[in-house]
Amino acid sequence: MAAALGRSRGGLTSKVHLASDRRCSPLAFEVTEGQAADSPQFIPILEKVRIRGPVGRPRTWPEAVSADKAYSSRANRAYLLMRRIKAVIPEKADQAANPQETREPGRASGLP
């Protein structure tokens, strides 16, 4: 736990990155230093998620992900698109001003 303490002007700080279901039950979490960026923690947290069903082995990805603007990066959106997970993440102003083409991988055109 000592490795997750970071220094700032306010003293020693840490951040808790949490993945939860619709009922706010925790599925996975990670504790990082307070000065560490949020976005790089997105994929490691999602890879820890296991969703149990009534039978069989647990699913390893959700149908949709809702996140804060701090987790809105092109790398995170590309990861979600690759795994066919719906992203409900607001875009930062600089990303909206510089749009990149986002379509499903393997498609030659935007047509179905």
Side-chain angles (χ1 to χ4, degrees), residues 49-66:
V49 170
R50 299 291 180 262
I51 302 168
R52 285 190 231 164
V55 294
R57 61 175 220 230
R59 289 189 302 135
T60 57
W61 65 86
E63 294 174 8
V65 170
S66 177

Side-chain angles (χ1 to χ4, degrees), residues 5-85:
L5 290 175
R7 290 220 174 260
S8 70
R9 290 171 45 187
L12 296 174
T13 59
S14 60
K15 289 182 185 176
V16 177
H17 306 273
L18 175 72
S20 64
D21 63 8
R22 289 182 183 181
R23 294 183 216 138
C24 297
S25 299
L27 299 174
F29 74 95
E30 185 80 27
V31 179
T32 61
E33 298 88 3
Q35 75 269 18
D38 293 337
S39 190
Q41 303 307 318
F42 185 76
I43 295 172
I45 290 296
L46 277 183
E47 289 179 349
K48 289 182 177 180
V49 170
R50 299 291 180 262
I51 302 168
R52 285 190 231 164
V55 294
R57 61 175 220 230
R59 289 189 302 135
T60 57
W61 65 86
E63 294 174 8
V65 170
S66 177
D68 188 62
K69 211 182 257 195
Y71 297 96
S72 175
S73 73
R74 288 193 177 103
N76 291 344
R77 289 181 184 278
Y79 175 80
L80 293 174
L81 185 65
M82 179 184 72
R83 296 200 51 188
R84 297 175 189 222
I85 300 171

